[in-house]
Amino acid sequence: MRLILSSVLLGLAWFTVTSAAASACAWVLGRSLIRRPDPPGAGLLLAVRLLPALASSVFVAAVFLPTHWRFEPVESAESFGVVLTAIATIGLLVILRAHWRAVRAGFAGRRLAAVARRAASLPGGDAAESVIRVVDGLPGVSLFGIWRPRILIGADARGVLTPAELGLAISHEVSHRRSRDNLRRFLICFAPDLFFWTRVARELEDRWQAAAECEADAHAVRGDSYRAVLLASALVKVARIGHAAGGPGVESAAIVSAFHVPTLLETRVRRLVAGGALPPSGARRLAWSSAMLSV
């Protein structure tokens, strides 16, 4: 029993300490990325944002716990002081906060899941393997779900978009599906770390969302200026629907990639009209390098 207690208490303390150290590293890396004149790729931004949670979790699970169980006496008379207990309490609160955010995200998506199950399915688009559903009351186009995401099209959006514009909107969501952006969004929401208290972490999350949307736009238009203009037109039309509806509605769920994000509308339209910029080269390699560094 004492071994279990010491494992939990010391594990939480080590989690807090390593999270603080990794958060400091992520803060330095994040500031350097934010100050770069050229925007970094979404993969690199995500890797830096998740660095503290990944580093602390890997250390506790792969280094501390196996070592502690191997060498700690079962009936040790070791006592734990106030400072150690306070550090462990901080770690416990960080983990509970992450779980609470994950639970809230899950409940926020249950309503949309129920609506999607009742909606009419529609095959087509640029991804025959995807299930496309038309949903009444949805103000736009969204990708819902983590493991088996579905493309949801609002009835109003389907009515105002031309077939070409609707096809490009679907291609945009297909790009999110292939990149598993909903899973990445959930990992950001669930990440247990001390980094979330900083302005740099929030800036990284905002920039990751912007980079992910712009990269999905670029994959949808495939370098074609005509397709870029059509996608920009679709964005403006869907934005008008969302404005008339009074807000993002069910698209605000954390496990949903919304086609139209109000804060990114001007940036995306300008990029598309200017030619639909391609994703940054080398972003995947840099993201893998950052992930390996965190391990």
Side-chain angles (χ1 to χ4, degrees):
M1 184 65 184
R2 176 174 289 274
L3 180 60
I4 296 177
L5 177 62
S6 65
S7 298
V8 172
L9 189 64
L10 293 176
L12 289 172
W14 273 114
F15 177 86
T16 305
V17 172
T18 52
S19 178
S23 295
C25 295
W27 186 84
V28 173
L29 291 173
R31 278 178 60 89
S32 65
L33 290 179
I34 292 172
R35 292 179 176 180
R36 283 176 54 175
D38 54 323
L44 180 58
L45 292 167
L46 179 72
V48 175
R49 175 60 187 89
L50 296 181
L51 171 64
L54 179 61
S56 54
S57 300
V58 167
F59 178 81
V60 171
V63 178
F64 166 72
L65 287 179
T67 305
H68 186 71
W69 292 337
R70 172 66 178 81
F71 295 106
E72 181 72 9
V74 177
E75 298 299 333
S76 174
E78 181 181 7
S79 61
F80 306 104
V82 175
V83 175
L84 183 64
T85 304
I87 295 175
T89 302
I90 293 174
L92 178 62
L93 292 176
V94 168
I95 294 175
L96 290 177
R97 171 194 171 274
H99 281 78
W100 173 244
R101 291 188 65 182
V103 169
R104 287 184 61 187
F107 277 109
R110 290 186 63 182
R111 174 188 170 191
L112 188 55
V115 172
R117 284 193 296 267
R118 295 193 300 267
S121 60
L122 174 70
D126 288 345
E129 75 278 4
S130 299
V131 175
I132 305 173
R133 297 181 182 272
V134 180
V135 180
D136 292 328
L138 180 70
V141 182
S142 299
L143 180 71
F144 169 76
I146 297 177
W147 306 117
R148 299 179 61 185
R150 292 179 171 87
I151 297 175
L152 306 181
I153 304 172
D156 293 339
R158 188 188 181 193
V160 301
L161 296 179
T162 67
E165 291 170 345
L166 182 59
L168 285 170
I170 292 174
S171 296
H172 173 94
E173 299 305 329
V174 168
S175 178
H176 280 307
R177 184 176 187 268
R178 291 173 177 168
S179 299
R180 298 186 182 276
D181 283 338
N182 281 5
L183 175 60
R184 298 179 181 187
R185 190 185 306 273
F186 183 78
L187 290 176
I188 292 175
C189 176
F190 178 72
D193 55 38
L194 299 173
F195 190 37
F196 76 93
W197 272 311
T198 67
R199 181 187 61 81
V200 174
R202 294 188 292 272
E203 183 73 15
L204 286 175
E205 293 176 8
D206 293 340
R207 296 205 174 202
W208 171 81
Q209 184 181 32
E213 294 298 331
C214 290
E215 290 181 10
D217 287 342
H219 285 109
V221 303
R222 303 170 189 169
D224 188 317
S225 59
Y226 179 68
R227 290 171 63 91
V229 172
L230 285 178
L231 184 57
S233 175
L235 274 170
V236 173
K237 290 181 179 179
V238 172
R240 289 173 178 168
I241 297 174
H243 180 73
V250 291
E251 293 184 358
S252 61
I255 52 177
V256 173
S257 292
F259 175 65
H260 163 242
V261 181
T263 56
L264 301 176
L265 177 63
E266 181 179 356
T267 300
R268 292 171 63 188
V269 169
R270 287 184 180 275
R271 285 172 61 97
L272 289 168
V273 173
L278 294 175
S281 60
R284 186 180 298 272
R285 177 176 57 83
L286 291 173
W288 275 108
S289 300
S290 180
M292 292 303 298
L293 175 63
S294 66
V295 174

